[in-house]
């Protein structure tokens, strides 16, 4: 039996990351894309070119009523995730919700409560859980091979070049904007909490004035060790997670599926990356995939959601994990101070501090 899918939001992530794997899984008989929702008809039409039998809709409520999906994929702009997820759960559909799960942890709490009440799966999309090198890095940390961990450093910065189809992420936060914190932040914090244990925020600084931030730094504590995080929407950074312990050091490339290295007493060595994930719905002994592309990682992520529905397995990231990530982002915002910018003249640094959003609010 193939599960009926409703896609809510047919913008960049739907077209670039979901379209191809959904099409392949439909062809393999695992699912059928029954409906596509987007108020912008050209966005829904772009997705429909892959799924000619799907119906298109301008709003989620009427689409849920007419398509009666088994799974709703919430791929709309971030500020709509809570609304669309609640609608889908109330209509009796399981949900895969893109990151960020919501704008506040209170919204996340309502979403997890609704999933419990409806007895439906609420999975949060965290594609990096399906990057083989990330899974092996986590196993390496848990193996104790690096000894007692001292600290980790996480740096991720790119010149923003994701071809969004709407400006939603760039609005002010209270108008639904994500800034880099709620854009890359959920990926980073989910990954770090998954690897090192629950995080608490020590301090947080960003460069937002009246708008949203493009750069931030954060220090956190985890169960295993303290860590620092730097994220940027406009500065290319080293894009790596580096951890040091008293017996060695390991480095993971954040933008690669298969790059992991370890330094022990005899120097640096590359670790072969072979971790794999289920690629079909066989209960045991089925096909597995070690992704080397976003499309393959997305395919594994979707399959895991289907497996959680059909086989009763746990989703990779459930609503409660998603809520904890958003709570950590909120804790950062609550303690926000202006980012240090030592390259500015003293006079401009003072003016920036005066104009910082958390100073003026
Ligand atoms: N996992 C990843 O790596 C990844 C990558 C990019 C984006 N995302 C996430 O996916 C989400 C969408 O991002 P995007 O880049 O596709 O943005 P986008 O702006 O290109 O797409 C959003 C889409 O939602 C549609 N929309 C707006 N109002 C709607 C409504 N009421 N009902 C249904 N659809 C509606 C818009 O018309 C648009 O087509 C964001 O939350 C973003 O953080 C995740």
């Amino acid at each position: 039996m193939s599960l009926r899918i409703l896609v809510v939001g047919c913008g960049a992530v739907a077209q670039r990351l979901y379209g191809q794997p959904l099409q392949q899984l439909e062809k393999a008989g695992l699912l059928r894309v029954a409906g596509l929702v987007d108020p912008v008809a050209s966005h829904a039409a772009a997705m429909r070119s892959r799924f000619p039998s799907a119906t298109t809709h301008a709003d989620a409520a009427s689409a849920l009523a007419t398509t009666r999906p088994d799974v709703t994929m919430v791929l709309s702009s971030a500020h709509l995730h809570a609304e669309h997820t609640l609608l889908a759960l109330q209509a009796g559909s399981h949900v895969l919700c893109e990151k960020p799960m919501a704008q506040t942890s209170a919204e996340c709490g309502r979403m997890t409560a609704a999933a419990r009440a409806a007895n439906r799966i609420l999975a949060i999309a965290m594609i990096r859980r399906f990057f083989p090198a990330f899974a092996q890095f986590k196993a390496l940390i848990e193996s104790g091979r690096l000894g007692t961990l001292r600290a980790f450093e996480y740096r991720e910065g790119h010149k923003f070049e994701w071809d969004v189809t709407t400006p939603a992420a760039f609005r002010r936060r209270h108008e639904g904007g994500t800034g880099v914190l709620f854009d890359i932040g959920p990926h980073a914090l989910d990954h770090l909490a998954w690897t090192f244990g629950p995080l608490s925020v020590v301090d947080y600084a960003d460069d937002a004035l009246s708008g949203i931030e493009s750069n931030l730094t954060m220090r956190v504590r985890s169960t295993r060790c303290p860590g620092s995080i730097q994220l940027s929407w406009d500065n290319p950074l080293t894009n790596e997670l580096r951890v040091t312990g008293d017996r060695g050091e390991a480095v993971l490339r954040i933008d690669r599926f298969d790059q992991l290295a370890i330094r022990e007493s005899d120097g640096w060595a590359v670790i072969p990356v072979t971790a794999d994930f289920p690629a079909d719905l066989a209960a045991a002994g089925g096909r597995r995939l070690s992704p080397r592309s976003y499309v393959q990682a997305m395919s594994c992520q979707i399959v895991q959601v289907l497996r959680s529905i059909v086989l009763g397995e746990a989703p990779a990231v459930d609503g409660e994990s998603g809520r904890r990530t958003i709570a950590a982002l909120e804790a950062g915002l609550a303690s926000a101070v202006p980012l240090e910018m030592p390259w500015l003249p003293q006079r401009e640094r003072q003016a920036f501090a005066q104009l910082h959003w958390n100073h003026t609010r």
Side-chain angles (χ1 to χ4, degrees), residues 29-313:
L30 272 66
L31 55 81
R32 189 166 81 72
V33 175
L36 301 161
V37 185
D38 206 296
V40 180
S42 61
H43 294 181
M47 278 294 274
R48 192 162 182 269
S49 62
R50 289 183 185 272
F51 308 103
S53 68
T55 50
T56 56
H57 309 261
D59 75 279
S62 63
L64 284 160
T66 50
T67 57
R68 317 242 20 115
D70 298 299
V71 190
T72 301
M73 303 203 164
V74 176
L75 316 183
S76 49
S77 310
H79 65 290
L80 300 169
H81 289 179
E83 176 189 331
H84 288 152
T85 297
L86 289 171
L87 278 173
L89 291 168
Q90 283 153 9
S93 170
H94 302 282
V95 171
L96 172 64
C97 176
E98 254 305 333
K99 61 83 200 165
M101 178 175 173
Q103 289 183 294
T104 65
S105 56
E107 282 179 336
C108 296
R110 286 195 282 282
M111 294 157 79
T112 52
R116 264 195 309 279
N119 195 23
R120 288 292 177 268
I121 303 277
L122 169 55
I124 309 304
M126 284 294 166
I127 193 169
R128 296 177 188 189
R129 296 272 189 123
F130 297 89
F131 287 14
F134 284 45
Q136 273 181 242
F137 186 86
K138 173 180 164 63
L140 173 70
I141 297 301
E142 288 171 350
S143 73
R145 189 166 153 187
L146 298 177
T148 303
L149 300 185
R150 294 194 187 117
F152 66 76
E153 277 173 36
Y154 183 103
R155 291 183 204 289
E156 181 171 4
H158 323 262
K159 187 165 69 64
F160 190 95
E161 54 193 5
W162 179 253
D163 50 359
V164 283
T165 60
T166 70
F170 303 99
R171 297 200 187 111
R172 291 166 194 221
R173 201 175 301 282
H174 68 271
E175 293 165 356
T178 64
V180 71
L181 178 64
F182 275 66
D183 179 34
I184 304 179
H187 283 304
L189 270 72
D190 174 75
H191 170 202
L192 293 168
W194 181 51
T195 306
F196 296 106
L199 303 178
S200 57
V201 176
V202 176
D203 57 30
Y204 167 87
D206 71 25
D207 64 352
L209 298 179
S210 60
I212 33 99
E213 71 294 334
S214 294
N215 291 278
L216 67 85
T217 58
M218 206 180 208
R219 286 188 304 154
V220 295
R221 279 197 202 92
S222 72
T223 320
R224 292 175 189 275
C225 63
S228 62
I229 301 167
Q230 181 183 6
L231 305 179
S232 178
W233 257 357
D234 56 17
N235 283 314
L237 297 173
T238 51
N239 295 333
E240 64 182 29
L241 168 60
R242 181 176 295 265
V243 61
T244 47
D246 59 10
R247 276 198 258 137
E249 180 177 358
V251 182
L252 172 73
R253 294 285 314 173
I254 290 162
D255 45 4
R256 301 298 290 264
F257 296 85
D258 56 355
Q259 287 198 6
L260 181 55
I262 184 166
R263 180 183 57 74
E264 291 174 299
S265 51
D266 48 352
W268 282 99
V270 170
I271 298 182
V273 171
T274 54
D276 58 9
F277 306 94
D280 63 24
L281 297 184
R287 200 166 70 82
R288 297 182 69 88
L289 187 61
S290 186
R292 291 294 184 274
S293 70
Y294 272 88
V295 166
Q296 290 177 346
M298 180 61 81
S299 185
C300 289
Q301 174 167 258
I302 295 170
V303 166
Q304 189 55 39
V305 174
L306 305 184
R307 291 178 71 87
S308 61
I309 295 165
V310 175
L311 303 175
E313 293 180 358

